[in-house]
Amino acid sequence: MEQSGDIDLKAGLALAQLAEGAIISGRVDGEEAVLVRRGKDYFAVGAACTHYHGPLAKGLIVGNTIRCPLHHACFSLRTGEALHAPALDPIACWRVEVALDKVFVREKLSAPQRAESVALPAKSPASIVIAGGGAAALAAADMLRRCGYSGPVTMVSADDVPPYDRPNLSKDFLAGTAPEEWMPLRSAQYYVDRKIELVLNQRVTAIDAARSVVSLGDGRQLAYGTLLLATGADPVRLQIPLSGAARIFYLRTFADSRAILAATESARAAVVVGASFIGLEVAASLRARGIDVHVVGLEHVPLERVMGRDIGAFLRNLHESRGVTFHLGQSVSHVDGKQVTLTGGATLQADFVVLGVGVRPAITLAEQGGLAIDRGILVNEYLETSAPGVFAAGDIARWPDPHCGDRIRVEHWVVAQRQGQAAARNMLGLREPFAAVPFFWSQHYDVVINYVGHAEKYDTATIDGTLESRDCAVTYRRGERTVAVATISRDLQSLQAERAMETTVNPI
Ligand SMILES: Cc1cc2nc3c(=O)[nH]c(=O)nc-3n(C[C@H](O)[C@H](O)[C@H](O)COP(=O)(O)OP(=O)(O)OC[C@H]3O[C@@H](n4cnc5c(N)ncnc54)[C@H](O)[C@@H]3O)c2cc1C
Ligand code: FES
């Protein structure tokens, strides 16, 4: 429950005004803050999430944490620490004092005053190598240093730039509303300050788990104490016959998004192949640039398999209302210069084509290294692979999810980051099972869909509210059990659904 107002929290608030679990918005020395009561304890922390400034006053209190309504980052009320991604940086914290029947927010606490040290086991790895430079890799390196690990950390990335905000590649960056400067997850100085060695433009080409050595593309060998594999996924390549000067793009990297962006400058029309999340987000961003967009997809209703027929039909209508033309139940048979021929026989004119037909986990390295594989790299609850001392996180990892009771692999930004964080702690010997409930979001114009849980299969999808009003929650059930919840404009409900699923355990 949120209570708002321009309250000066330093001036003191009557205890009676602070209900258990309520979030009071106010100001401390001109800075926006929230005040929360948990039993006999009172906490004052910064009001804006450090991910994308989500309003924490509209979030959820769980134990001594506060969760962001936008993408579910979780902060400690006691220390302000960003406990769970996607936020990586702490929020401010103030000292709070109770005098007589009032609660007063006092001075801001400095970082050392509020730091909680992590009790690491005596023996830590001699060095840590991370294969990958994306969501899971950065979150892992960050957590290693936060936990106080002082040994060498080397991140080897096939990317040509340091870790960046990949979800934005199809959204605001492509639409032109997020400048390049917003894209890096960390500044160049961050890696220097934390002694994280970044090896860019370089692939890990082989793992020798018996000798604890990896080989790099340039022939070098790197010994590791512990290894994290975080190589993500590669776009599925469609074998479409091409002739003339056809311009075809995939979208996974910063370089891919920049190339599409460059193509938009002189383009009037584009074909997007694939009507799932990335394809539709690309369509929305290209429409924002005034480009005519045709979406071609094999499915008859976009996203029907994941989100169900109702949300799929709603999204189709939404995109059509913004000028997107759909060609569903078919694919592309041939591209000749600017002419795109569909399998149904129609031809479209397009300055370029974007292929967004799914991804495959980048597991060749692990396969060749002899690790156990099952449509992903198999890991245990600590995210450790079948090779002791080798961990895996993110799009490549298939882990035992204690909530849905299956071994699952997902392609979600927040899950990859949280697995990176959990793997880092386990590489240091903390032995904490990974138990986060999967979460992702997707943005289409001004409509954002939040999704918690995992529903590879479900029996029913029940809508509370209406899609037309853009205010609803869809609950997916298998038998009696809620396996996932998708929401539009109901962020608090999404957080509550996540919390409810966290407390549900189904043995594998
Ligand atoms: C355009 C786009 C939009 C998206 N939008 C959303 C969204 O809105 N919400 C959401 O939840 N998810 C979204 N996703 C998915 C999300 O980005 C991924 O789930 C997430 O990035 C996975 O993180 P990861 O660390 O596993 O892999 P990645 O972030 O892909 O990182 C993999 C890294 O490994 C490197 N690499 C690969 N092979 C090697 C090798 N052999 N040696 C060294 N380095 C290697 C790559 O260069 C890269 O740096 C989106 C993805 C894309 C492409
Ligand atoms: S803005 Fe808070 S998690 Fe994204």
Side-chain angles (χ1 to χ4, degrees):
M1 193 195 359
E2 176 210 358
Q3 290 177 24
S4 62
D6 205 15
I7 303 169
D8 178 1
L9 297 174
K10 271 200 149 172
L13 208 73
L15 291 181
Q17 281 180 265
L18 253 177
E20 174 69 23
I23 307 176
I24 306 274
S25 298
R27 290 182 174 273
V28 186
D29 296 328
E31 217 173 308
E32 286 183 22
V34 293
L35 182 62
V36 176
R37 173 179 165 193
R38 296 305 280 158
K40 291 198 188 98
D41 295 325
Y42 297 86
F43 303 101
V45 294
C49 173
T50 53
H51 179 226
Y52 281 157
H53 311 291
L56 295 180
K58 293 184 187 301
L60 183 70
I61 304 294
V62 178
N64 284 345
T65 68
I66 186 164
R67 297 182 178 191
C68 176
L70 299 195
H71 317 106
H72 296 201
C74 171
F75 298 91
S76 162
L77 284 169
R78 211 171 274 289
T79 66
E81 186 186 354
L83 297 172
H84 303 297
L88 299 173
D89 293 314
I91 46 177
C93 258
W94 286 267
R95 188 168 70 81
V96 179
E97 200 169 55
V98 176
L100 296 172
D101 56 353
K102 279 188 149 187
V103 52
F104 297 89
V105 177
R106 303 295 195 197
E107 75 281 1
K108 196 187 256 185
L109 298 174
S110 66
Q113 278 174 316
R114 56 199 172 102
E116 266 177 341
S117 61
V118 181
L120 292 179
K123 200 167 170 292
S124 58
S127 64
I128 292 178
V129 171
I130 301 173
L138 187 267
D142 186 79
M143 184 55 81
L144 288 170
R145 291 305 188 220
R146 255 204 260 171
C147 288
Y149 177 67
S150 56
V153 175
T154 308
M155 200 192 283
V156 183
S157 173
D159 266 318
D160 56 358
V161 287
Y164 49 85
D165 187 352
R166 197 175 304 281
N168 227 332
L169 297 179
S170 51
K171 303 180 181 70
D172 295 346
F173 179 68
L174 193 58
T177 47
E180 289 244 357
E181 310 85 83
W182 293 4
M183 296 302 282
L185 293 178
R186 294 301 199 182
S187 68
Q189 193 58 38
Y190 166 90
Y191 300 97
V192 177
D193 292 345
R194 285 171 184 68
K195 296 191 171 56
I196 297 168
E197 191 187 349
L198 258 183
V199 183
L200 297 177
N201 253 324
Q202 193 64 250
R203 280 186 175 276
V204 173
T205 52
I207 306 167
D208 183 342
R211 290 173 49 232
S212 298
V213 167
V214 291
S215 305
L216 307 192
D218 62 3
R220 262 186 299 162
Q221 294 212 318
L222 271 184
Y224 61 80
T226 304
L227 173 66
L228 175 65
L229 300 176
T231 47
D234 297 316
V236 171
R237 307 266 155 187
L238 267 192
Q239 301 306 316
I240 301 174
L242 303 175
S243 49
R247 300 177 81 191
I248 305 285
F249 297 103
Y250 288 90
L251 178 52
R252 182 74 192 179
T253 66
F254 207 172
D256 294 337
S257 192
R258 281 203 195 104
I260 299 173
L261 212 57
T264 61
E265 274 162 25
S266 56
R268 294 180 53 191
V271 166
V272 176
V273 184
S276 67
F277 292 111
I278 290 182
L280 292 181
E281 287 186 355
V282 168
S285 296
L286 296 181
R287 286 300 302 136
R289 291 180 172 275
I291 292 172
D292 286 342
V293 180
H294 293 263
V295 172
V296 180
L298 282 177
E299 55 276 74
H300 290 275
V301 177
L303 294 167
E304 183 178 6
R305 194 182 57 78
V306 188
M307 309 291 289
R309 185 163 276 265
D310 292 320
I311 291 192
F314 163 75
L315 282 174
R316 177 183 178 155
N317 286 339
L318 173 66
H319 282 272
E320 282 176 339
S321 73
R322 301 297 183 112
V324 174
T325 309
F326 284 88
H327 307 266
L328 298 174
Q330 54 189 319
S331 184
V332 170
S333 66
H334 179 217
V335 183
D336 180 4
K338 291 189 175 184
Q339 184 162 296
V340 181
T341 306
L342 307 189
T343 50
T347 56
L348 305 170
Q349 293 300 311
D351 296 291
F352 64 89
V353 176
V354 180
L355 294 172
V357 291
V359 294
R360 283 203 188 92
I363 56 173
T364 317
L365 190 59
E367 257 171 327
Q368 289 169 353
L371 305 190
I373 302 286
D374 173 16
R375 296 158 293 149
I377 302 173
L378 280 179
V379 293
N380 64 15
E381 66 269 45
Y382 305 110
L383 305 177
E384 192 164 17
T385 70
S386 57
V390 181
F391 292 72
D395 285 3
I396 52 174
R398 184 171 290 278
W399 84 99
D401 176 38
H403 309 296
C404 75
D406 283 329
R407 289 179 195 283
I408 63 172
R409 187 187 72 75
V410 301
E411 292 149 9
H412 307 344
W413 180 254
V414 172
V415 173
Q417 288 187 308
R418 290 182 177 184
Q419 287 191 344
Q421 294 179 323
R425 296 173 73 86
N426 288 327
M427 288 193 285
L428 299 178
L430 290 171
R431 303 289 284 173
E432 296 169 350
F434 178 76
V437 171
F439 164 81
F440 75 84
W441 80 100
S442 183
Q443 186 184 322
H444 306 260
Y445 314 96
D446 53 350
V447 173
V448 178
I449 301 176
N450 279 0
Y451 183 102
V452 287
H454 183 74
E456 238 155 58
K457 289 185 225 116
Y458 56 86
D459 301 320
T460 56
T462 318
I463 303 185
D464 174 31
T466 63
L467 284 155
E468 296 68 40
S469 63
R470 299 175 184 191
D471 174 8
C472 64
V474 181
T475 303
Y476 304 87
R477 288 193 184 85
R478 204 186 302 164
E480 293 296 303
R481 187 148 58 92
T482 296
V483 287
V485 175
T487 55
I488 297 175
S489 310
R490 293 197 181 182
D491 294 340
L492 186 58
Q493 197 171 340
S494 177
L495 283 169
Q496 286 163 338
E498 179 184 60
R499 180 63 193 145
M501 281 182 223
E502 276 172 4
T503 55
T504 312
V505 173
N506 289 288
I508 294 172

